[in-house]
Amino acid sequence: LSQVAVNFVPGQDNSFLTEQDVLDGLSERGEANLLGRAMNEVDLAQLETHLKANPAIKEVEAYKSFAGVLKIELGLREAVGRMVNNSGTQLYVSKDGVKFPTSRRHTAYVPLVRGDFEEGVVDTFSCETISDAVPVLTYISEHEFWKAQISEVEIAQNGELTMLPSIGDTKIEFGYPERIEEKFENLMDFYKQVIPVRGWKAYRSVSLKYKGQVVGKKR
Protein backbone atom coordinates (compact mmCIF):
# COMPACT_ATOMS: atom_id res chain seq x y z
CA LEU A 1 0.00 0.00 0.00
CA SER A 2 1.64 3.21 -1.19
CA GLN A 3 -1.02 5.85 -0.54
CA VAL A 4 -4.37 6.54 1.13
CA ALA A 5 -6.64 8.93 -0.79
CA VAL A 6 -9.65 10.46 0.96
CA ASN A 7 -12.51 12.01 -1.01
CA PHE A 8 -15.66 13.67 0.36
CA VAL A 9 -19.02 13.57 -1.43
CA PRO A 10 -19.22 16.78 -3.52
CA GLY A 11 -21.59 19.51 -2.39
CA GLN A 12 -21.51 18.61 1.29
CA ASP A 13 -20.28 20.75 4.17
CA ASN A 14 -17.15 18.76 5.02
CA SER A 15 -15.67 21.40 7.32
CA PHE A 16 -16.33 19.22 10.37
CA LEU A 17 -13.65 16.74 9.28
CA THR A 18 -10.45 17.19 7.33
CA GLU A 19 -8.63 14.61 5.28
CA GLN A 20 -6.04 14.42 8.06
CA ASP A 21 -8.76 13.72 10.64
CA VAL A 22 -9.85 10.74 8.55
CA LEU A 23 -6.30 9.48 8.07
CA ASP A 24 -5.65 9.76 11.82
CA GLY A 25 -8.83 7.81 12.50
CA LEU A 26 -8.07 4.89 10.22
CA SER A 27 -6.65 2.87 13.09
CA GLU A 28 -5.01 3.31 16.46
CA ARG A 29 -1.83 4.41 14.72
CA GLY A 30 -3.57 6.21 11.89
CA GLU A 31 -2.37 6.18 8.31
CA ALA A 32 1.14 5.09 9.31
CA ASN A 33 -0.24 1.72 10.36
CA LEU A 34 -1.34 1.02 6.78
CA LEU A 35 1.35 2.37 4.47
CA GLY A 36 3.79 -0.24 3.29
CA ARG A 37 1.49 -3.17 4.02
CA ALA A 38 0.43 -5.63 1.37
CA MET A 39 -2.97 -4.84 -0.12
CA ASN A 40 -4.36 -8.25 0.86
CA GLU A 41 -3.57 -7.48 4.49
CA VAL A 42 -5.95 -4.50 4.57
CA ASP A 43 -9.41 -5.47 5.85
CA LEU A 44 -11.75 -3.03 4.10
CA ALA A 45 -14.84 -4.02 6.09
CA GLN A 46 -13.03 -3.52 9.37
CA LEU A 47 -11.68 -0.19 8.19
CA GLU A 48 -15.15 1.02 7.19
CA THR A 49 -16.60 -0.05 10.53
CA HIS A 50 -13.82 1.77 12.34
CA LEU A 51 -14.52 5.01 10.46
CA LYS A 52 -18.29 4.71 10.92
CA ALA A 53 -17.73 4.87 14.67
CA ASN A 54 -17.37 8.61 14.12
CA PRO A 55 -20.99 9.88 14.27
CA ALA A 56 -20.20 12.75 11.86
CA ILE A 57 -19.64 10.16 9.12
CA LYS A 58 -22.84 8.91 7.49
CA GLU A 59 -21.47 6.78 4.67
CA VAL A 60 -18.06 5.32 3.89
CA GLU A 61 -16.78 3.16 1.08
CA ALA A 62 -13.21 1.90 0.93
CA TYR A 63 -11.69 0.14 -2.06
CA LYS A 64 -8.28 -0.71 -3.46
CA SER A 65 -6.86 0.45 -6.79
CA PHE A 66 -4.39 -1.40 -8.98
CA ALA A 67 -1.80 1.30 -8.36
CA GLY A 68 -1.45 0.42 -4.68
CA VAL A 69 -3.76 3.24 -3.53
CA LEU A 70 -6.41 2.75 -0.87
CA LYS A 71 -9.32 5.03 -1.75
CA ILE A 72 -11.89 6.15 0.83
CA GLU A 73 -15.13 7.88 -0.18
CA LEU A 74 -16.96 9.64 2.64
CA GLY A 75 -20.42 11.13 3.07
CA LEU A 76 -20.87 13.33 6.14
CA ARG A 77 -23.99 14.12 8.13
CA GLU A 78 -25.64 17.48 7.56
CA ALA A 79 -26.34 19.50 10.69
CA VAL A 80 -29.80 21.07 11.00
CA GLY A 81 -29.61 22.18 14.64
CA ARG A 82 -27.16 22.80 17.47
CA MET A 83 -28.63 21.75 20.80
CA VAL A 84 -27.42 22.60 24.30
CA ASN A 85 -28.03 20.01 27.02
CA ASN A 86 -28.53 20.73 30.71
CA SER A 87 -24.82 20.43 31.45
CA GLY A 88 -24.03 23.10 28.87
CA THR A 89 -22.57 20.71 26.31
CA GLN A 90 -23.35 21.59 22.71
CA LEU A 91 -23.89 19.01 19.98
CA TYR A 92 -25.14 19.01 16.42
CA VAL A 93 -28.19 17.14 15.22
CA SER A 94 -28.41 15.89 11.63
CA LYS A 95 -31.30 15.50 9.20
CA ASP A 96 -31.58 11.83 10.09
CA GLY A 97 -31.82 12.54 13.82
CA VAL A 98 -28.24 11.59 14.68
CA LYS A 99 -26.18 13.74 17.01
CA PHE A 100 -22.48 14.40 16.64
CA PRO A 101 -19.92 16.59 18.43
CA THR A 102 -19.29 20.21 17.53
CA SER A 103 -15.98 21.14 15.93
CA ARG A 104 -13.47 23.71 17.10
CA ARG A 105 -12.57 24.50 13.50
CA HIS A 106 -16.08 25.01 12.11
CA THR A 107 -19.48 26.31 13.21
CA ALA A 108 -22.51 25.30 11.17
CA TYR A 109 -25.03 28.05 10.42
CA VAL A 110 -28.05 26.33 12.00
CA PRO A 111 -30.59 27.30 14.71
CA LEU A 112 -29.67 26.89 18.34
CA VAL A 113 -32.05 24.40 19.97
CA ARG A 114 -32.90 24.89 23.64
CA GLY A 115 -34.91 22.78 26.06
CA ASP A 116 -34.69 20.36 28.96
CA PHE A 117 -32.12 17.99 27.46
CA GLU A 118 -30.30 15.45 29.62
CA GLU A 119 -28.66 13.28 26.97
CA GLY A 120 -25.03 13.70 26.06
CA VAL A 121 -23.00 13.26 22.90
CA VAL A 122 -21.71 9.75 23.52
CA ASP A 123 -24.58 7.95 25.29
CA THR A 124 -26.11 6.99 21.94
CA PHE A 125 -25.90 8.42 18.44
CA SER A 126 -29.68 8.63 18.16
CA CYS A 127 -31.06 11.95 19.40
CA GLU A 128 -34.35 10.97 21.03
CA THR A 129 -35.19 14.19 22.86
CA ILE A 130 -35.67 16.32 19.77
CA SER A 131 -36.46 13.66 17.16
CA ASP A 132 -39.98 15.03 16.61
CA ALA A 133 -38.57 18.50 15.92
CA VAL A 134 -35.99 17.35 13.35
CA PRO A 135 -38.41 17.70 10.38
CA VAL A 136 -38.96 21.35 11.34
CA LEU A 137 -35.24 21.99 11.63
CA THR A 138 -34.73 20.24 8.29
CA TYR A 139 -37.36 22.45 6.64
CA ILE A 140 -35.54 25.54 7.92
CA SER A 141 -32.18 24.24 6.66
CA GLU A 142 -33.59 23.62 3.18
CA HIS A 143 -34.97 27.14 2.75
CA GLU A 144 -32.45 29.97 2.68
CA PHE A 145 -35.01 32.57 3.76
CA TRP A 146 -35.90 30.71 6.95
CA LYS A 147 -32.24 29.90 7.65
CA ALA A 148 -31.62 33.63 7.72
CA GLN A 149 -34.75 34.40 9.77
CA ILE A 150 -34.75 31.76 12.54
CA SER A 151 -31.92 31.85 15.07
CA GLU A 152 -33.27 29.71 17.94
CA VAL A 153 -35.85 27.00 18.51
CA GLU A 154 -37.14 26.28 22.00
CA ILE A 155 -38.71 22.90 22.76
CA ALA A 156 -41.19 22.82 25.65
CA GLN A 157 -41.75 19.79 27.86
CA ASN A 158 -44.95 18.97 25.97
CA GLY A 159 -43.14 19.06 22.61
CA GLU A 160 -44.41 22.41 21.36
CA LEU A 161 -41.94 24.65 19.55
CA THR A 162 -41.27 28.36 19.88
CA MET A 163 -38.95 30.13 17.45
CA LEU A 164 -36.89 33.25 17.95
CA PRO A 165 -36.04 35.43 14.96
CA SER A 166 -32.54 36.60 14.05
CA ILE A 167 -33.74 40.22 14.17
CA GLY A 168 -36.11 41.54 16.82
CA ASP A 169 -37.69 39.80 19.79
CA THR A 170 -41.11 38.75 18.48
CA LYS A 171 -41.63 35.10 19.42
CA ILE A 172 -43.06 32.71 16.84
CA GLU A 173 -45.28 30.10 18.50
CA PHE A 174 -45.03 27.17 16.11
CA GLY A 175 -46.85 24.67 18.31
CA TYR A 176 -46.45 20.96 17.72
CA PRO A 177 -44.19 19.89 14.82
CA GLU A 178 -47.05 19.11 12.45
CA ARG A 179 -48.48 20.75 9.29
CA ILE A 180 -44.95 22.11 8.87
CA GLU A 181 -45.13 23.40 5.30
CA GLU A 182 -48.56 24.93 5.86
CA LYS A 183 -47.39 26.80 8.96
CA PHE A 184 -44.35 28.24 7.23
CA GLU A 185 -46.49 29.29 4.26
CA ASN A 186 -48.87 31.07 6.65
CA LEU A 187 -45.93 32.76 8.33
CA MET A 188 -44.58 33.85 4.95
CA ASP A 189 -47.96 35.44 4.15
CA PHE A 190 -47.76 37.27 7.47
CA TYR A 191 -44.28 38.51 6.58
CA LYS A 192 -45.45 39.78 3.20
CA GLN A 193 -48.85 41.22 4.06
CA VAL A 194 -48.84 42.36 7.69
CA ILE A 195 -45.27 43.20 8.67
CA PRO A 196 -44.74 45.84 5.93
CA VAL A 197 -47.80 47.67 7.28
CA ARG A 198 -47.48 47.27 11.05
CA GLY A 199 -43.84 46.24 11.59
CA TRP A 200 -42.50 43.61 14.00
CA LYS A 201 -42.43 46.00 16.93
CA ALA A 202 -46.23 45.95 17.03
CA TYR A 203 -46.28 42.28 18.06
CA ARG A 204 -45.10 40.51 21.19
CA SER A 205 -45.62 37.13 19.52
CA VAL A 206 -47.33 35.44 16.59
CA SER A 207 -48.95 32.02 16.77
CA LEU A 208 -49.07 29.43 14.00
CA LYS A 209 -50.93 26.88 16.10
CA TYR A 210 -54.32 27.47 14.56
CA LYS A 211 -55.07 25.91 11.19
CA GLY A 212 -55.24 28.34 8.30
CA GLN A 213 -54.33 31.49 10.20
CA VAL A 214 -51.67 33.46 12.03
CA VAL A 215 -52.66 35.09 15.30
CA GLY A 216 -50.63 38.12 16.33
CA LYS A 217 -50.44 39.21 19.97
CA LYS A 218 -49.86 42.94 20.24
CA ARG A 219 -47.54 44.48 22.80
Side-chain angles (χ1 to χ4, degrees):
L1 178 62
S2 61
Q3 181 186 354
V4 179
V6 178
N7 295 305
F8 295 94
V9 173
Q12 290 187 331
D13 181 0
N14 61 0
S15 304
F16 297 108
L17 288 178
T18 65
E19 179 179 357
Q20 191 58 51
D21 291 332
V22 178
L23 294 176
D24 291 343
L26 287 175
S27 66
E28 292 183 1
R29 291 174 51 200
E31 180 187 18
N33 194 41
L34 296 174
L35 294 180
R37 295 174 61 180
M39 274 292 196
N40 59 8
E41 294 179 358
V42 179
D43 187 331
L44 296 182
Q46 185 180 43
L47 186 148
E48 291 177 350
T49 299
H50 190 77
L51 287 175
K52 284 181 180 179
N54 185 328
I57 297 176
K58 183 178 182 179
E59 300 171 323
V60 57
E61 180 180 2
Y63 56 95
K64 307 166 186 176
S65 76
F66 292 110
V69 178
L70 172 62
K71 295 189 176 182
I72 300 174
E73 306 283 345
L74 291 175
L76 302 185
R77 299 193 188 279
E78 183 177 348
V80 295
R82 179 166 52 93
M83 62 185 287
V84 182
N85 64 19
N86 290 338
S87 65
T89 301
Q90 297 190 16
L91 51 143
Y92 286 119
V93 180
S94 71
K95 282 184 175 182
D96 50 349
V98 173
K99 57 192 177 183
F100 57 97
T102 56
S103 170
R104 287 179 293 180
R105 69 170 58 90
H106 176 66
T107 300
Y109 186 58
V110 292
L112 184 64
V113 185
R114 298 186 183 276
D116 184 18
F117 308 135
E118 293 291 347
E119 63 181 296
V121 180
V122 296
D123 52 1
T124 172
F125 287 171
S126 178
C127 192
E128 301 295 340
T129 51
I130 71 167
S131 58
D132 291 341
V134 168
V136 178
L137 297 171
T138 298
Y139 189 95
I140 294 172
S141 74
E142 292 176 346
H143 294 79
E144 291 300 323
F145 180 82
W146 297 122
K147 282 180 67 175
Q149 292 295 322
I150 307 298
S151 64
E152 293 188 24
V153 177
E154 296 178 351
I155 303 180
Q157 289 277 351
N158 65 356
E160 291 195 33
L161 310 181
T162 299
M163 301 177 180
L164 301 179
S166 302
I167 301 176
D169 60 353
T170 303
K171 290 187 176 183
I172 302 169
E173 298 173 357
F174 193 87
Y176 293 109
E178 57 191 16
R179 296 185 286 109
I180 297 171
E181 185 173 0
E182 174 194 327
K183 289 182 177 181
F184 275 108
E185 288 177 352
N186 290 341
L187 182 59
M188 180 63 79
D189 289 340
F190 189 82
Y191 269 65
K192 292 179 177 179
Q193 300 172 20
V194 179
I195 296 306
V197 178
R198 297 185 177 274
W200 278 113
K201 291 184 179 180
Y203 297 95
R204 174 167 46 89
S205 65
V206 295
S207 177
L208 309 175
K209 297 180 182 181
Y210 310 103
K211 188 174 179 62
Q213 60 181 318
V214 178
V215 177
K217 299 178 182 178
K218 296 182 179 179
R219 295 185 187 276

